[in-house]
Every structure is written in C-alpha cells, then in structure tokens.
Amino acid sequence: MQNNPHTTLITATAPVSPDTHGGRTKCLQRLVRLDLPVPRTVGLSFEAVHNIARGDMPDMPLLLSPFEAGELLCVRPSSEDPDWGGPSAILNIGMNEARFDDFAKRLGKDVAASLYARFVHSYSIQVARLDPDVFDEIGAEGEASLSAALRAYEEETDEPFPQDPAAQLAEVLRSMARAWDGTSARLLRQAKGAPADAGLGLVVQSMALGFGKGECGSGVLQLIDRETGLEQLTGRYLSQSQGRDALESGTKALFLERDARGPSLEELAPEAFASLIEYARLMRQKLREEMQVEFVIEDGRVHLLDGVRVSRTSRAAVRSAVRLAQDGIISRQEALMRVPPSALNELLHRQVDRSVASDVMGRGVAASPGAATGRIVFSAADAQACAAREEACVLVRRETSPEDIRGMHAANAILTERGGMTSHAAVIGRGIGLPCVVGATEMRFQLRKKLLTSPDGRVFKEGDIITIDGTHGEVLAGAVSMQEATLDDAFQTLLTWSDAERDIGIRANADTPADAQTAKMFQAQGIGLCRTEHMFFEDDRLTVMREMIFAENSEDRRAALERLLPVQRADFTELFRTMAGMPVCIRLLDPPLHEFLPSDHAGHRALAEALDIPLADVTRRVEAMGEYNPMLGLRGVRLGITVPEIYDMQVRAIFEAAIDVSKEGMPIVPEIMIPLVSAKREVELVKMRVDIVAAAVKAETGAEFEYQLGVMVETPRAALRAEDIAENVSFLSFGTNDLTQMTYGLSRDDAGRFMTEYVRQGVFEEDPFHTLDVDGVGELLILGAKRGRAARPALTLSMCGEHGGNTESIAFCRAAGFDYVSCSPFRVPVARLAAAQLAILDHLQ
C-alpha cells in the first residue's frame, strides 16, 4: 500500500506530491520524515477522489488495512493549495453502538456520547444532507442529545444510523468527493484563484481523541502574530476537546504560555508544551515556513494532526519572509519571491479592515489603492474649504479635470462617475497616494442638487460621511474600521534586497516638489515624467496663464510669460534640489489651452473682471478655442510650434534652475521631453528653439551646462518613424496611456462604460489601459525601440505611462531592452520588487 499511487500509506518514502495528493498530504509526509508524532495516515490522490465522485470506490479493505480494528478515523480535505479550501473534516468515523459501549467503559458515558453525537451530527448534515437546524436544536452533549440525534436521523431517512465502519467511511468519502465537484464549490475556489478543474485529495487518519484521563485536549499553535508577523506565540488550547473546538469555544479555552489572566497549557502539561514548541520550531526550520500546528494531547502525549502555512496579512508576510532569510532558513532571493508585489500596496496605504462587516453602497474601478473616510463634497472649492477647517472630505465629481487639482490635493479620497484606470482622477490619485474609485456608473450623480444615489435607492447628500476603498473599488456608507499603513524595517529591508537583484531602472512620475519628495522617499532613481501643466493651476499663476492665452500678439504673450518665468523656475529649482542630482525628465506643456479657461458662466464673469475686458469677449474667445476632439487637437508639440513662446519660457526656466542648483554642488543635466510628436520636422523645430534659448542663457550667465532632449512617443506614427525622430534626440519615452488610446481608437476616460462587458465576453483579455496590450501596443513599442536604436545605438528607452508599475509591463520592457520604467511615486516600491522577481526568475531558467 505504501507504494500505491492512489491509496497511499503516508511514510517517509511514499509517492505523494502536492499536485497529485494535495498540500495537506505532502505536509504530513514531511512531518513523518522529521519523525514527529503524526497519527497513521492514508492519502487518496486527486484521481482516486475524482473516481469516487463518479461512483468508482477504492478497495475499502485495503484502505482500512493500516488501521487497527475498532479504531476511530477522520477524513480531511487536501487541496493543492490550502487557501482553496475543501469540504469540512469529519471526525470519529467508525463510531457505532459497539464502540460507544467500549468508550463508555474506558472513558465514561459522557465522553462516549460526545464522540458519537459529534459524528452523528457531521454525518447527518454533510453526508446525508439533512436539515442542519434539526441537529443544531438537539445539541451534542450527553446521552439524551445522542439519543435525540439518532432518532432524528432515523425519522428523516427512514433507516437506522449506519453501524458498519467501512460503510460509514465509504459514504463520507463519496460525499466529500461529490461536494468538491459541485457547482458552488467550483465557483468558490475559482474566486480564490484556483483553476476550475483543480483536484482534491483526501486524508484518512487515525483519530487522536483529545478526551480521556490525564491532560487531554486539542488546539492550534503558531510562533508569529498573523497580523504583524512579529515573533509571538499565539494560538488556543481546550482541555477535553477535539478538532478545532479550541478556536470556537471562547472563554473555556486556555492560554498557551503562562499568563496572569488565567490557567495555561504550560502549567497543566509542561512537558507537552515544551514538546510543542520544539516541534513548531523544527517545522519552521525544516519546512522553511511559518507554520500553524494543529495538535491533540492524549494523557500528556502530543499528536500532530496537521501543519499549514500561517494565514497572515501582507504586513506579516513581508516580515516573516525577511526573518526567515535573516535566520538563514531561506535565501534572500526566495524571500523576495514569496511576497506578491501587489501586497506592498496594503503596506503603503491605509486599508479597510476586511474582517469587519461594512455597508457597500456602490462599486466602480479600483483606480488608486488605499482607503479614506470623509464628508461628501461636490466641488474642488468645497474640498479646499473642508481642508481649511481640518475636516476630512471625499471629492465627488462626474470626472475630474486639471481645474480640480487643488481640490484633489485637499480631499482625502476621490469618487467619479466616469473614467478608467488612466483617467485624470486615477492618474493623479495614484501619483499623490489618494484613494480613488472611478467609473461608478451604477450610482447616480446629481451635482447640481448635491446628491449621490446608490443602486439600491439610498440617497446621500453633501456632508454625509462615506468611505472610499480604492484597493477594492468599493464605496462604503459611513466610517469603517481601518488598518494603518506600515513602512517598517522589514519593508525597507525587502526593498533593499530588491535593488540588489533587479536589472532595470525604476523612476517616478512626479509633477510637484512634494511628489518628488515622495519618489525620493521610496528610492526612485530619478523622475521619468514631470507634467508641467499641473504647476499652472494655482490661483495666482492661473490668472497670468489666462492673460497669456488672451494675448493678441507674440509680444503680449511674452510679457505675460515673463511673469510666470520666476515661479516656474522656482518650481524646477526645488524639484532639482529635492532629487539631489538624480535625473529629472520634464515634459513641456501638453494639454490644449482651453483646459486653463473656465467652463461656466460664473467663471467667465470672474475672468472678465480679472482681465478687465468685456464678458462677451471672454465668452466668445472661450467658445472659439473649443475643439471637437481636444485630445487630438492643438496640444503637445503642436502647441509648442504654433505658440512657441510657452516652450521658450519653460526651457529657460529649466536651464536657469539647473544652473542655480548646480552651484550648490549637485550637477544637473535636465532632460527635456517633447510631447505628442508624430513627425521628425516637429522635433527639429522645437530643438532649434531649445538650442537658441540654451545659447542665450549661457551667454547671459556665463555658465556652461548640458541637457538632453527627448520625445514622448504617444502616437503610432512616432513609434513607426522612430528611426527618423531618434536622429535629433537622446531618449524616447513611451507614453502608453495615449499610445493605447490612439492605437485602439478608445477614449481612456469613457472606455470604463463598456470595458467590463468587453473583458467578460473575451473581446479583450484585460482592460488595455490597466494591463499593457503586448500584442498590439507592445508591437509598436518593439518597433519604435528597434528602429530608434538603429539610428542611435546609445538611445535611452523608457516607459512612462501608467503601465510602468505593472509586473507584466516591466517584464515586457526588460525583454525589449528598455533602460527604465517610470510610474506613480506610490507604485515605485511595487515596481522595485516586481523587477527583482523578474530578474531572479531569469537567473533560475
């Protein structure tokens, strides 16, 4: 039987593995190899269980042959991954009238009745599928309860409770096998990440009773705190119990270690306690994992029923992986591979405590991780007012625009009706670490009435408190329990190890000095994208910007821009100083000018007063600047060529700031990026003006400086003509947000309305704004990279779209020979770990 591949006695050499018999079976074999006190066990393979579900039962005499006559058994599930679950364990199989008499003589009638009643309950509910309420009302203590349970079984089934142990075991096996194949079980495990055809093994094990004379009982034990990962003995123990009774009984359970608050296992059975600690430490060392030990004590002797990896939070997962490596149990590389990069999001931001029930009032796209609670406000101005009163608020908009920037910074979270992963709200939210849910289309947004209606009809008004869970895309009514962000020593150690492994650079997208400070805190290797437009939306700057837009000629535009030059220069000076000599890539102004103008009548009137011109002139000019499709209109390099004074001012501010900071001992080589290029001639025209400004600044200051000019590849034509474009630049940075939008012909702000249905029906495997489309958009990146380096072999290549923080995108960029990726500051740690894991996987292959 030991060598039977499907009905296998678990010994040190038995042919079992997690992918044929499941994780529990393999773990028990490892415990046997360590010579630990494991009850005799037989493992049934996935194939055997599948056959049982179809009615093909194993050789029952063979299955029972390793066990002693009259011995009670239990059956437990053994799925490939313990997190996938399985049918509930059934204990005390083999209990019947004869065994009841035997146990009554040995242990007393109360104990015998409890053992029998527990089995009758489990068998009736899980095997015979009888009404659980009937047996819950009966209870499972004492002979009266046992008699009532047996009577209820006979009344419900019209037959007496089965007495043959082999028949009992066969029916248990059949029931558990069929339960695993059921629709509900399949959907449940698929939700946990299991494949639909995942197999189930079963473990048949001698019962360690936990009842009897001397110290008897059952419990669980682990050496770390599952919430924090700190070294701490945790668990519970209950005298005269079996299974997982200790976890359910509450006040009757004992402490494990000596404790002033009550009796403990260490006091009642010191030798058994010492053995348990020794076993747990040995399991940690030999199984190379923090393990939870399920045990039974019989008359002071310890039996180990199971060992599973401790279920833990992301914070505990990081700390335990680091401690195992520091203790020499696993390598640093293995520690890095044990932490999913996405798990770091839970450490970087406050999170909703998922163990506490909450009231979900709506759902949308989980656009920026983290959670925050605040009062509903419907405008950026109201958000700023809340911040001034030091009140937390949630900014609710149909969609955000650059005009909302100050309100977004003032808010604690953002909720929008429209948008997807690369919408304005999503990008800014991720950039500043603000929880954000977008595309909540099932909710009704009534901004004029200042009302928000949930799908179930509940109405929330301005000032009501809600919670935004940007990690899971949920909107919750009221305030909820939170878990705080945790950037502890283990987190920092893990990222330091990541940097030693990865082979691609990680920069951050940072628009302000505050963003840059965050990027530096997370040890980004510079700034890969600074969007300068966000610097113009402060009140004092916005008015001057609007004055420049309304200027009638070049001289008037220059005069207005001269007033913006000092503040723009101050911004860049602080940015360069914050990054302390690390590379900073600054994108010249990209959005169309109408985005800087007010869109409502009140805004037009205020602008007319500020510029001292007739209201009719303001309204007419704003309407004239409107575009049918502004995303494809007068923006980016087109703006720089037709209104060149803007880029002249920005470039001068960059050069003058670089000179000032370089005098402080931090040599700065600014990288200037031209947005939305499609043609070589566009680059030539902008390059000519940049060179002229550089020469002028050098002549005026007497200072020498270097700079690099590059292009943001956002149009398909730029990728296709990269060989021509590369002749005039030092770097190409692929902006995959717009490139995806233009390649697909999809609006990234509106695609959320139908994207879920497209993914559901298999039109797209994933939302291409969330996960890089390596087949379509990716091919453009490969063509652009190849053709660009054909013209200039030393050309620097990077990705600076929001895809830059995704593991799949980093893998693609590494394979394509890119130098670095750039992502939102709060995604930098995630990208650092993901890049390290990809490098480790390459070395293993």
Side-chain angles (χ1 to χ4, degrees), residues 350 352 359-362 371-378 392-397 412-416 435 437 440 443 445 451-454 458-469 474-480 482:
R350 294 181 79 206
V352 170
D359 180 4
V360 179
M361 56 179 274
T373 298
R375 298 186 181 278
I376 297 174
V377 296
F378 289 92
C393 68
V394 176
L395 178 60
V396 177
R397 305 286 290 159
N412 295 75
I414 305 168
L415 171 65
T416 70
V437 172
M443 304 181 74
F445 290 62
L451 298 176
L452 181 66
T453 306
S454 65
R458 286 182 290 171
V459 178
F460 297 81
K461 61 183 184 301
E462 185 175 44
D464 287 346
I465 293 177
I466 62 173
T467 297
I468 299 299
D469 182 353
E474 294 179 343
V475 186
L476 311 173
V480 301
M482 296 280 191

Side-chain angles (χ1 to χ4, degrees), residues 26 65 128 190 248 251 276 353 387 489 492 544 637 663 673 687 758 761 815:
K26 186 61 183 179
S65 62
Q190 282 183 273
E248 301 171 1
T251 57
L276 276 168
D353 185 350
D489 56 335
Q492 301 296 348
V544 180
V637 67
K663 291 177 182 177
M673 185 155 65
K687 183 178 187 299
Y758 257 49
Q761 295 198 35

Side-chain angles (χ1 to χ4, degrees), residues 156-171:
E156 294 290 328
T157 62
D158 291 328
E159 60 185 26
F161 190 79
Q163 296 294 299
D164 179 6
Q168 292 174 353
L169 178 60
E171 289 304 312

Side-chain angles (χ1 to χ4, degrees), residues 506-584:
I506 307 293
R507 295 197 198 179
N509 301 340
D511 302 339
T512 65
D515 294 343
Q517 189 61 52
T518 303
K520 187 176 179 181
M521 177 181 70
F522 290 135
Q523 298 181 32
Q525 294 172 289
I527 294 175
L529 172 62
C530 173
R531 307 173 185 90
T532 53
E533 54 267 18
H534 295 148
M535 298 177 173
F536 293 111
F537 282 94
E538 296 294 333
D539 279 340
D540 54 342
R541 305 180 186 194
L542 189 57
T543 300
V544 180
M545 188 70 176
R546 288 168 171 175
E547 185 178 329
M548 184 276 298
I549 294 171
F550 273 74
E552 297 293 338
N553 54 57
S554 178
E555 289 305 313
D556 289 345
R557 282 195 291 271
R558 288 185 185 278
L561 289 166
E562 281 293 326
R563 292 158 58 196
L564 284 175
L565 176 63
V567 293
Q568 182 92 123
R569 181 174 58 235
D571 286 332
F572 294 142
T573 298
E574 191 174 352
L575 200 63
F576 291 143
R577 189 175 287 137
T578 298
M579 298 311 294
M582 285 190 284
V584 176

Side-chain angles (χ1 to χ4, degrees), residues 284-352:
R284 177 179 185 265
Q285 181 180 0
K286 297 299 184 180
L287 303 187
R288 305 165 65 249
E289 184 58 273
E290 299 289 358
M291 302 295 290
Q292 182 184 77
V293 183
E294 184 174 342
F295 65 92
V296 166
I297 296 176
E298 274 190 312
D299 197 17
R301 291 178 54 246
V302 174
H303 301 273
L304 301 185
L305 305 185
D306 198 8
V308 296
R309 189 189 69 185
V310 174
S311 174
R312 56 199 175 224
T313 63
S314 295
R315 176 185 177 188
V318 169
R319 182 173 290 280
S320 63
V322 168
R323 279 188 58 239
L324 286 167
Q326 290 173 333
D327 291 346
I329 295 173
I330 63 175
S331 66
R332 291 182 177 184
Q333 290 82 0
E334 187 171 351
L336 290 170
M337 296 303 296
R338 287 192 177 189
V339 180
S342 59
L344 296 189
N345 280 326
E346 297 184 29
L347 279 67
L348 294 167
H349 309 274
R350 294 181 79 206
Q351 301 288 338
V352 170

